[in-house]
Amino acid sequence: MKYIVIFIFSLALLSTPAYAQDYKKHKVEKGETVVSIAKKYKITPYDIYRLNPDSKNGIKENTFLLIPGATKVPVSTPEKEKTTKVANTIHEVQPKETLFSLSKKYDVSIEDIKKANGTVLENGLQIGQKIIIPIKGSGVAAQVKAEKKAEKKPTYPSYFYHVVEAGETKYSIAKQYGMTLQLLEELNPEVKDTLPLGFKLKLDKNALLKKEDIQPVTEQPVKEAYVEYTVKAKETLYSLTRDNNLTEAEFFALNPQAKEGLQEGMVIKLPASSGILSPGAVVNTADKPVTNLLASLKKSEQRQIALLLPFNIARIESDTVRSKLLRSDKFLNMTLDFYAGALMAIDSARVLGLPLKVKILDSKESRTTSDVSALASGLSGMDAIIGPFFPGNVETLAAMLSSKNIPVISPLSKEEARAYPNMFQSVPTSDRTRGAMLEYLKSKNGNIIAMVDAKKASSKQFIQANLPIAKFAPLNADGTIIPDGLKALLVKDKVNYVILETERIGMMAGTTKTLMDELGEYQIQLVVLERYDAFDNDEMPVSRLTGLKMLYPSVTNDSNTQQSELFGKVFKEKNNIMPNQYATRGFDLTFDTILRLFQAESFKEVMAVNASEQVENKFAYITEKGSNYNTGVYILYYDEDLTIKLAE
């Protein structure tokens, strides 16, 4: 597998001069900016930055820029780039534009524009409004009439309301009406934190249609045996119903007192057969052999993917603003790095001759806002979608496209999201990563000792739930280690795996020194469930970590491989900089998605059955609790030669 990928990288590197002939040269004129030049050629500013790295520091009059030519991957709507005529195009209204100026720009009559947009233009043009521009002579009036007839939908008011009753939550109301929680909160910003009884919640106009199809839930008395369970900190109604396979109606039938709200320490009833999960408990990760997806490519049918990336281009009003953002905005730089890696994956698909169409869109997102809802209607023809970046926005898009079964892949989030059958979480969650480490230890048949900080009570619960054979080393009343207590747990006939779970330098230093002193008499290997920043502190000698061959789990392969070295070489050749983890992630996820689309089986079947490995990331998906999760985790260790290696 890795040698085929290396061959592709080699072709991509050798093909760089051939692509150069498709680039244009643009002479910078007075007053031009990168943004204005990008608009002129219908590309993004980031395409210019990629080919002209020095332009990040500003551009000067009479200098030359390389501009991608006809073979560039389209970043605008693909329909605009077809050679055959289409029925219409979409135009976003800019400041000072009028119907007259648009009719001149697109060579179409004002009357045809009005007919194509119906009542949308009753109040005139609005800045930022998206309107239909018909092609001249396309029979717009007949088109509009036919579209209205085809819809055959009853007319409903823009909004309707729901009066909040006792025991209801925002989540339960959103679920009742087939809406997302995010949309409900966006429509009712005044109840972001509280939900008063009797409040009239504004609901989406489409929710009325969905409510008519919802069958009322009849609460039946629960007859099966139950167990008592104490609610833990941060547990919610959603997490408890999800983890125990209960509907809200079933949960409240067992626990009517919970309708007033869940509280930490509250004792509730849960079905004994539901298989209550301990806090943080994980299901064994998928043990699938890595498949060579390149060996089974099917190129007979064209596929389409979309990348939704948070460029937020509108923020860049001038080169000065852009230069400042590139220096200070980590999120923007992460986006650009991911984008650069994704472009390399698309170039690799070209080298393979795959009939792929790509749509790259600005999701205009932050933690609280996004353009996802507005973009969703244009994504109905996609075979797969990568993005958006923020988990809440991924959930929103997956919910909107769930009925069409379009795969939506979360590219970066480690948080466990709400479950949708068409959503794929491509980064293993923290619990799955930590759980993979414990699964590895189970397989080694060693003596397992846990040295857990007193402040890490949840970590202790996690280890107890998933690795009950572990012995816990005692601590002093002040939380410091007891060296003799730790030594007493060591054995001579097995490897002693010592799990160290702390972020305190003092505890790290004390534990590692005690273990180093015993290396001559015992076989010892240090284990951490998470590689905390404190391990890189100057007070924590690296020699101890290498001497104890510290084991740790990682979602990326941090060891040096021939494949990663060649990828770095090709990436630098194209971008004048070495790739970071986000650039490599952009390549790995995009390339893996493309390869999975061009298999004989359906995309979901390939995701469920085949594990794969790219430059630094492993993809092994499982379906669980109504959604899809990647379980691909690497177990790595510090070697005595100061390198990081894969554990066997």
Side-chain angles (χ1 to χ4, degrees):
M1 166 69 177
K2 68 178 181 180
Y3 297 109
I4 299 176
V5 175
I6 288 172
F7 175 68
I8 293 171
F9 287 159
S10 301
L11 288 178
L13 183 59
L14 292 172
S15 67
T16 301
Y19 280 119
Q21 65 185 7
D22 296 318
Y23 297 139
K24 301 175 183 178
K25 283 187 177 181
H26 173 84
K27 186 177 181 180
V28 179
E29 298 179 0
K30 186 176 180 179
E32 285 189 316
T33 66
V34 170
V35 173
S36 66
I37 294 169
K39 285 183 178 179
K40 179 177 181 179
Y41 289 99
K42 297 183 179 180
I43 59 176
T44 71
Y46 310 105
D47 294 318
I48 296 177
Y49 300 148
R50 189 170 67 89
L51 297 177
N52 307 271
D54 291 341
S55 67
K56 293 180 180 180
N57 301 317
I59 57 176
K60 297 180 180 179
E61 185 180 354
N62 295 324
T63 57
F64 287 90
L65 296 175
L66 286 176
I67 305 297
T71 60
K72 181 68 185 171
V73 176
V75 297
S76 55
T77 306
E79 284 75 12
K80 293 182 182 178
E81 310 208 2
K82 292 182 181 178
T83 55
T84 57
K85 285 190 175 182
V86 293
N88 54 53
T89 189
I90 303 298
H91 175 85
E92 184 172 338
V93 178
Q94 303 299 315
K96 299 183 180 180
E97 284 186 326
T98 64
L99 286 174
F100 177 76
S101 67
L102 292 177
S103 70
K104 293 298 182 185
K105 180 178 180 178
Y106 290 100
D107 191 24
V108 64
S109 72
I110 294 176
E111 188 62 22
D112 279 354
I113 296 176
K114 288 182 176 180
K115 288 177 180 177
N117 290 276
T119 59
V120 172
L121 299 179
E122 282 184 350
N123 297 320
L125 291 177
Q126 307 293 325
I127 296 174
Q129 184 181 33
K130 293 179 180 179
I131 64 171
I132 298 171
I133 304 294
I135 283 181
K136 189 175 181 180
S138 60
V140 176
Q143 228 176 50
V144 173
K145 184 177 179 181
E147 287 173 1
K148 287 183 177 179
K149 184 178 179 181
E151 286 180 0
K152 294 182 180 178
K153 292 182 180 178
T155 301
Y156 290 94
S158 296
Y159 298 102
F160 75 106
Y161 296 88
H162 172 89
V163 178
V164 178
E165 298 176 1
E168 289 186 317
T169 65
K170 285 187 285 186
Y171 175 75
S172 68
I173 294 169
K175 184 177 179 182
Q176 177 186 355
Y177 289 98
M179 298 170 59
T180 65
L181 180 59
Q182 180 180 349
L183 178 56
L184 184 71
E185 290 182 337
E186 287 175 356
L187 291 173
N188 301 275
E190 61 271 39
V191 292
K192 196 76 174 178
D193 300 316
T194 59
L195 188 61
L197 288 177
F199 186 85
K200 289 179 66 176
L201 277 176
K202 183 187 289 185
L203 304 177
D204 181 44
K205 60 182 179 181
N206 295 321
L208 183 59
L209 294 173
K210 293 180 180 178
K211 187 186 179 187
E212 291 171 352
D213 297 330
I214 295 175
Q215 298 299 319
V217 177
T218 303
E219 297 188 5
Q220 299 292 339
V222 180
K223 298 179 181 179
E224 64 176 316
Y226 62 83
V227 295
E228 291 188 342
Y229 179 78
T230 303
V231 177
K232 304 295 189 298
K234 298 183 179 180
E235 284 189 311
T236 63
L237 173 64
Y238 170 71
S239 66
L240 287 169
T241 53
R242 176 198 64 191
D243 293 346
N244 295 282
N245 298 312
L246 291 171
T247 66
E248 286 189 16
E250 292 168 339
F251 180 86
F252 287 130
L254 277 172
N255 304 283
Q257 77 280 12
K259 289 184 178 181
E260 301 301 321
L262 285 173
Q263 302 291 333
E264 181 182 352
M266 178 186 288
V267 177
I268 59 174
K269 297 176 182 178
L270 294 172
S273 62
S274 68
I276 302 170
L277 296 177
S278 301
V282 293
V283 177
N284 290 355
T285 56
D287 185 18
K288 303 175 184 177
V290 172
T291 304
N292 180 5
L293 297 174
L294 284 162
S296 53
L297 293 174
K298 302 295 181 184
K299 306 178 184 180
S300 55
E301 294 184 24
Q302 186 180 72
R303 303 294 184 193
Q304 297 185 78
I305 67 169
L307 274 69
L308 272 59
L309 307 179
F311 294 121
N312 292 299
I313 294 176
R315 290 189 303 162
I316 305 177
E317 299 172 353
S318 66
D319 284 346
T320 302
V321 174
R322 180 261 307 153
S323 181
K324 181 179 179 181
L325 286 173
L326 287 173
R327 288 195 305 270
S328 61
D329 193 323
K330 293 182 180 179
F331 184 68
L332 174 59
N333 280 279
M334 178 188 71
T335 301
L336 294 176
D337 291 332
F338 187 95
Y339 177 49
L343 288 180
M344 273 195 62
I346 295 165
D347 285 344
S348 297
R350 280 211 196 100
V351 172
L352 291 169
L354 299 178
L356 177 71
K357 290 183 68 177
V358 182
K359 179 185 284 190
I360 301 175
L361 300 170
D362 184 356
S363 56
K364 302 178 184 177
E365 63 179 308
S366 66
R367 287 192 180 277
T368 55
T369 61
S370 79
D371 205 29
V372 170
S373 297
L375 295 173
S377 60
L379 299 171
S380 58
M382 295 298 109
D383 293 298
I385 299 166
I386 297 174
F389 275 17
F390 287 102
N393 298 331
V394 178
E395 292 172 13
T396 298
L397 185 63
M400 296 179 75
L401 299 177
S402 178
S403 61
K404 298 180 181 179
N405 203 28
I406 298 175
V408 177
I409 304 167
S410 177
L412 296 175
S413 174
K414 294 181 180 180
E415 300 175 18
E416 187 158 339
R418 286 200 294 270
Y420 295 98
N422 62 323
M423 191 166 81
F424 295 83
Q425 186 159 334
S426 69
V427 180
T429 62
S430 295
D431 276 355
R432 291 183 188 280
T433 305
R434 292 151 61 89
M437 184 74 254
L438 299 186
E439 288 297 314
Y440 174 83
L441 294 179
K442 284 181 187 177
S443 70
K444 304 308 288 184
N445 193 33
N447 179 45
I448 302 172
I449 304 168
M451 175 65 73
V452 182
D453 196 318
K455 296 182 179 180
K456 295 276 187 179
S458 61
S459 294
K460 185 172 183 178
Q461 289 179 344
F462 183 86
I463 296 170
Q464 288 173 328
N466 295 283
L467 193 62
I469 60 173
K471 307 168 188 173
F472 287 85
L475 297 174
N476 287 311
D478 61 357
T480 57
I481 74 164
I482 304 174
D484 289 341
L486 175 57
K487 294 175 188 177
L489 296 176
L490 299 172
V491 299
K492 292 186 177 181
D493 58 339
K494 292 183 178 182
V495 177
N496 294 275
Y497 294 100
V498 181
I499 303 171
L500 177 58
E501 183 63 4
T502 184
E503 295 181 61
R504 292 190 294 160
I505 294 294
M507 190 170 184
M508 288 181 182
T511 303
T512 54
K513 183 181 184 305
T514 299
L515 296 178
M516 288 291 290
D517 292 342
E518 300 301 317
L519 268 182
E521 191 171 352
Y522 298 95
Q523 298 179 70
I524 301 172
Q525 189 159 15
L526 182 66
V527 180
V528 297
L529 302 185
E530 186 174 342
R531 193 172 170 274
Y532 296 114
D533 292 340
F535 285 104
D536 297 323
N537 192 290
D538 292 338
E539 296 180 34
M540 186 67 245
V542 176
S543 59
R544 292 186 188 173
L545 305 183
T546 57
L548 293 167
K549 295 190 174 181
M550 185 179 81
L551 278 164
Y552 70 96
S554 175
V555 298
T556 59
N557 185 353
D558 301 333
S559 64
N560 291 325
T561 64
Q562 184 180 359
Q563 188 175 346
S564 64
E565 288 178 4
L566 186 54
F567 174 76
K569 181 179 179 182
V570 177
F571 187 91
K572 186 175 182 180
E573 183 76 20
K574 290 180 176 289
N575 299 281
N576 292 326
I577 191 172
M578 289 298 291
N580 60 16
Q581 60 174 323
Y582 297 111
T584 308
R585 178 76 188 168
F587 173 85
D588 282 0
L589 180 58
T590 307
F591 192 55
D592 186 75
T593 302
I594 293 170
L595 294 183
R596 289 174 183 272
L597 283 173
F598 287 95
Q599 302 295 316
E601 301 81 11
S602 70
F603 183 79
K604 190 156 189 178
E605 286 177 315
V606 177
M607 295 293 264
V609 175
N610 299 107
S612 61
E613 189 172 4
Q614 304 305 332
V615 178
E616 285 185 358
N617 292 270
K618 186 188 298 182
F619 301 96
Y621 291 92
I622 62 170
T623 300
E624 184 180 284
K625 300 176 186 175
S627 198
N628 309 282
Y629 304 92
N630 183 17
T631 64
V633 176
Y634 294 95
I635 305 299
L636 305 167
Y637 72 95
Y638 282 53
D639 204 358
E640 292 176 320
D641 61 1
L642 302 181
T643 62
I644 293 175
K645 291 186 172 65
L646 278 171
E648 297 179 357

